[in-house]
Amino acid sequence: MVKIYLDIKEMGNALDNMGTLSEKIVNNVTVDLLGNVKRESPVDHGRLQGSWTKFDDGPNQKTIKSSANYAQYVNDGTGLYGPHKTLIKPTTKKALKFTPNKGKFKGMTIFTPYSRGIKPRKFVEKSMEKTTNRIPELVIQSINQVKLG
């Protein structure tokens, strides 16, 4: 048999500060997620990794956004690997033109009639999973911050 004893006197401060506690929890989860998404972002030149910012939308509402306009494409994939599952083809020219910045064709100008696209990296989902696994720890941390603070 398991017995659980609750000392209401010990919980009093946390119960009195429920609004503060929920704010702490949301903030701690957001900070953890921001750190994870920065660590999990693929690094080519570092712009994507450094582009993540936390916004306060209210006491219990936070948003994490990237200023890199290509973040969704890197996360979700493009072409055959993306949501549309089709080749990438030129719309106004006969060929696509690009210059890779890594690999055996680095620095060379490439012309091709189509591209398969890029595979999804799913770094946002990986970050969310890591943070979700830490929620119990983050809640305890938040309770201790309210209790001691």
Side-chain angles (χ1 to χ4, degrees), residues 63-112:
T63 303
I64 296 174
K65 292 182 184 177
S66 172
S67 59
N69 59 354
Y70 56 89
Q72 183 176 356
Y73 302 121
V74 175
N75 188 67
D76 298 341
T78 61
L80 291 176
Y81 312 106
H84 301 294
K85 310 252 184 269
T86 57
L87 290 172
I88 300 170
K89 295 182 178 182
T91 54
T92 59
K93 304 285 183 181
K94 292 182 180 181
L96 299 170
K97 175 185 172 185
F98 59 94
T99 307
N101 55 3
K102 62 181 178 180
K104 67 180 182 179
F105 298 109
K106 178 180 179 178
M108 298 172 62
T109 300
I110 306 293
F111 294 91
T112 183

Side-chain angles (χ1 to χ4, degrees), residues 24-134:
K24 283 281 187 199
I25 292 170
V26 169
N27 192 54
N28 286 341
V29 168
T30 305
V31 168
D32 188 76
L33 181 58
L34 179 62
N36 284 334
V37 80
K38 283 185 175 188
R39 279 187 293 280
E40 292 293 326
S41 292
V43 178
D44 190 3
H45 40 68
R47 272 187 254 151
L48 177 59
Q49 191 176 45
S51 71
W52 295 100
T53 309
K54 176 182 83 157
F55 295 93
D56 289 334
D57 301 329
N60 289 317
Q61 295 180 344
K62 310 289 184 227
T63 303
I64 296 174
K65 292 182 184 177
S66 172
S67 59
N69 59 354
Y70 56 89
Q72 183 176 356
Y73 302 121
V74 175
N75 188 67
D76 298 341
T78 61
L80 291 176
Y81 312 106
H84 301 294
K85 310 252 184 269
T86 57
L87 290 172
I88 300 170
K89 295 182 178 182
T91 54
T92 59
K93 304 285 183 181
K94 292 182 180 181
L96 299 170
K97 175 185 172 185
F98 59 94
T99 307
N101 55 3
K102 62 181 178 180
K104 67 180 182 179
F105 298 109
K106 178 180 179 178
M108 298 172 62
T109 300
I110 306 293
F111 294 91
T112 183
Y114 65 87
S115 171
R116 290 186 185 98
I118 60 168
K119 293 181 179 178
R121 302 296 286 271
K122 298 297 181 188
F123 61 94
V124 172
E125 289 80 355
K126 291 175 192 172
S127 302
M128 291 172 66
E129 183 178 341
K130 284 183 175 186
T131 297
T132 300
N133 291 338
R134 287 199 61 218

